Amino acid sequence: MSQAPQHDAHHNEADPAEEIVDVIPWIVPLAGAALIFLMAFIAVVMA
């Protein structure tokens, strides 16, 4: 008799995209805050 193929062999591997999705709610606001701070700093320096 032949053995059934194991389809779950690659199921346990971590997907890099799924790891990034968990971090996006932290990265986007921090990047936005840094961008706003830099633009305000440039505006104050130029004034």
Side-chain angles (χ1 to χ4, degrees):
M1 285 197 169
S2 64
Q3 294 179 343
Q6 295 180 352
H7 293 289
D8 60 347
H10 297 287
H11 184 66
N12 294 334
E13 293 181 8
D15 187 12
E18 290 185 9
E19 294 177 4
I20 293 173
V21 168
D22 293 336
V23 182
I24 286 176
W26 290 95
I27 295 296
V28 171
L30 289 176
L35 185 61
I36 290 171
F37 176 77
L38 288 174
M39 290 181 2
F41 180 74
I42 292 170
V44 169
V45 168
M46 291 180 67

